[in-house]
């Protein structure tokens, strides 16, 4: 797993990442408190479906009845503990440092819009009809992409299992994240055994976050040049 290596510089309070962390956690606790049938109804009512947006009139209908919001609400639903905890860990690792640069509101925008784009991609790439799409993986992938763009020279710690022991090593973030991104592409084509995971949603979220991070980085550079009269 990745471990963030924090800098020593003092920063302002970062509240957006903890807020998203808490919202994901509370939504999951609320969902598992419901009986099985009620929980599946919750997924059907608030998760994104893999069909239904084939024609332009379908989009108009979703805008009229508000069901387009399910692209966002689906981000806060998770199937089980492992599904949730994996997203929470990566949210903290990449969300906290990204928020230091983006600020809380831009980070929330990145999470929601990146996640919605990821879910939309899943709608058009999932092969199973009427598959329920839930989870924050696409939004977290957007955070990973933004982190890479904002901190291209950063180093991450990675824990590598070596037999009965765990070895902690440091490696460039671009290398570890690059391997992760490549695996998402490979898994997207690997076959039906991975059909329950929306790998293309991860790829789309990552690509959006990367583009968003490059844009913000360039905007910050322009602002600094103006400030110093360059």
């Amino acid at each position: 797993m990745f471990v963030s290596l924090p800098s020593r510089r003092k920063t302002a309070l970062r509240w957006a990442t903890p807020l998203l962390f808490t919202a994901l956690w509370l939504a999951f606790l609320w969902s598992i408190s419901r009986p099985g049938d009620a929980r599946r109804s919750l997924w059907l009512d608030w998760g994104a479906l893999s069909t239904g947006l084939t024609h332009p009139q379908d989009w108009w209908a979703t805008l009229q009845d508000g069901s387009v919001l399910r692209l966002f609400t689906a981000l806060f639903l998770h199937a089980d503990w492992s599904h949730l905890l994996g997203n929470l860990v990566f949210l903290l690792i990449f969300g906290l440092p990204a928020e230091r640069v983006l600020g809380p509101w831009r980070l929330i925008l990145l999470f929601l819009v990146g996640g919605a784009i990821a879910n939309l991609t899943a709608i058009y790439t999932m092969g199973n009809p009427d598959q329920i799409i839930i989870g924050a993986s696409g939004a977290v992938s957007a955070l990973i992409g933004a982190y890479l763009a904002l901190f291209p020279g950063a180093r991450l710690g990675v824990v590598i299992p070596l037999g009965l022991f765990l070895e902690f090593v440091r490696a460039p973030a671009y290398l570890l994240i690059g391997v992760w991104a490549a695996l998402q592409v490979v898994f997207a084509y690997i076959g039906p055994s991975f059909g329950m995971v929306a790998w293309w949603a991860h790829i789309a979220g990552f690509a959006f976050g990367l583009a968003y991070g490059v844009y913000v980085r360039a905007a910050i550079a322009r602002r600094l040049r103006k400030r110093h009269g360059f």
Side-chain angles (χ1 to χ4, degrees), residues 37-71:
D37 290 343
R39 189 179 182 193
R40 181 164 180 81
S41 295
L42 176 68
W43 293 349
L44 287 170
D45 292 338
W46 296 100
L49 294 179
S50 60
T51 56
L53 293 176
T54 307
H55 305 290
Q57 58 266 31
D58 298 330
W59 275 101
W60 178 244
T62 61
L63 291 172
Q64 285 184 311
D65 62 19
S67 60
V68 69
L69 295 177
R70 292 165 62 167
L71 293 173

Side-chain angles (χ1 to χ4, degrees), residues 71 112-122 201 204-205 208:
L71 293 173
L112 293 177
V113 176
I117 290 175
N119 285 340
L120 186 61
T121 302
F208 175 82

Side-chain angles (χ1 to χ4, degrees), residues 79-142:
D80 51 40
W81 287 100
S82 62
H83 190 200
L84 171 72
L85 294 178
N87 284 330
L88 290 180
V89 168
F90 280 88
L91 170 63
L92 293 178
I93 291 174
F94 296 102
L96 287 172
E99 185 177 353
R100 187 178 69 209
V101 176
L102 297 175
W105 294 110
R106 287 192 183 95
L107 182 107
I108 291 176
L109 179 67
L110 170 63
F111 183 91
L112 293 177
V113 176
I117 290 175
N119 285 340
L120 186 61
T121 302
I123 288 175
Y124 288 111
T125 56
M126 294 276 291
N128 299 330
D130 297 325
Q131 180 74 39
I132 304 173
I133 300 168
I134 58 174
S137 301
V140 171
S141 297

